[in-house]
Structure formats: C-alpha cells, structure tokens
Amino acid sequence: MEFDTLKEKITEKLRGIYDPEIPVNIYDLGLIYGIDCAKESGGATRCVVTMTLTSATCPVSESLIDQVRNVGYLIDDEPDLVVEANLVFDPPWTMEKMSEEARLQLGML
C-alpha cells in the first residue's frame, strides 16, 4: 500500500514518546489504536493517529498529544506531512493492550 512506509516512520517516532509516569513508550504501552493517512487535494499528506490515555485524568495528556502532533515535523523526507491526534476513550485502555516487550520491561512476564 502507498502509506505503509509512512506509517512505519510515524510508528518509529511514536516509539520515541514516553509516558513520564511509566518508563515505556506510548506505542508499546498500547496507547496508539491506529494510524490513517490520506492525500489532500493540495498535495499534503494528513495522518490521523487515533490514541487513548491510560486514564482520562492523565496529568500529562496535553503534553503527550502535542508530542504526537509534532511527529510530522520529525520525518524529514515528508515536508507536507500533517499529523493529527484523535483522542478516544472507547475502547478504554487496559494492560492487555501493552506489547510483550512492554510487559517484559515492566516485569509483568
């Protein structure tokens, strides 16, 4: 597919964003539910990252959302990339959404 490589690049950058309360990146923590990309009529590419938080009252929610939005600026070979964060709470986050690597890192395996 056309956007597979771009989604991989975005995923790589998302793995560099950490929840400051949990020493695991937000991707492996299971906070990212999906990445959908489309070309816009002006030629730009818009990617929407659907994500959640471990808690609706997360004290760093704005910071995490801003970091996700800024991922587009970190991908040098995509100058017309716009990344949006779509925050959802349905389905709610649970520890089962964490990757095996995250569980291992947190001593849960």
Side-chain angles (χ1 to χ4, degrees), residues 7-50:
K7 289 179 183 182
E8 288 174 13
K9 290 177 183 180
I10 291 171
T11 298
E12 178 184 327
K13 298 302 182 188
L14 292 172
R15 282 196 163 113
I17 301 172
Y18 284 77
D19 184 318
E21 298 175 328
I22 305 169
V24 175
N25 69 72
I26 64 171
Y27 191 87
D28 289 326
L29 194 55
L31 299 182
I32 304 302
Y33 288 172
I35 303 168
D36 297 303
C37 299
K39 278 283 190 199
E40 295 188 321
S41 59
T45 301
R46 181 172 304 276
C47 294
V48 177
V49 177
T50 301

Side-chain angles (χ1 to χ4, degrees), residues 35-107:
I35 303 168
D36 297 303
C37 299
K39 278 283 190 199
E40 295 188 321
S41 59
T45 301
R46 181 172 304 276
C47 294
V48 177
V49 177
T50 301
M51 63 179 292
T52 194
L53 301 169
T54 56
S55 165
T57 59
C58 176
V60 294
S61 61
E62 284 303 315
S63 172
L64 289 177
I65 292 167
D66 285 344
Q67 289 180 68
V68 169
R69 288 181 186 135
N70 288 329
V71 160
Y73 299 115
L74 302 175
I75 301 174
D76 295 333
D77 58 348
E78 293 289 338
D80 296 323
L81 175 61
V82 176
V83 175
E84 294 180 3
N86 177 29
L87 184 63
V88 298
F89 290 101
D90 186 27
W93 178 85
T94 62
M95 290 194 305
E96 288 76 33
K97 295 191 182 316
M98 292 191 311
S99 70
E100 188 173 308
E101 181 179 321
R103 291 177 195 207
L104 184 62
Q105 188 174 351
L106 294 173

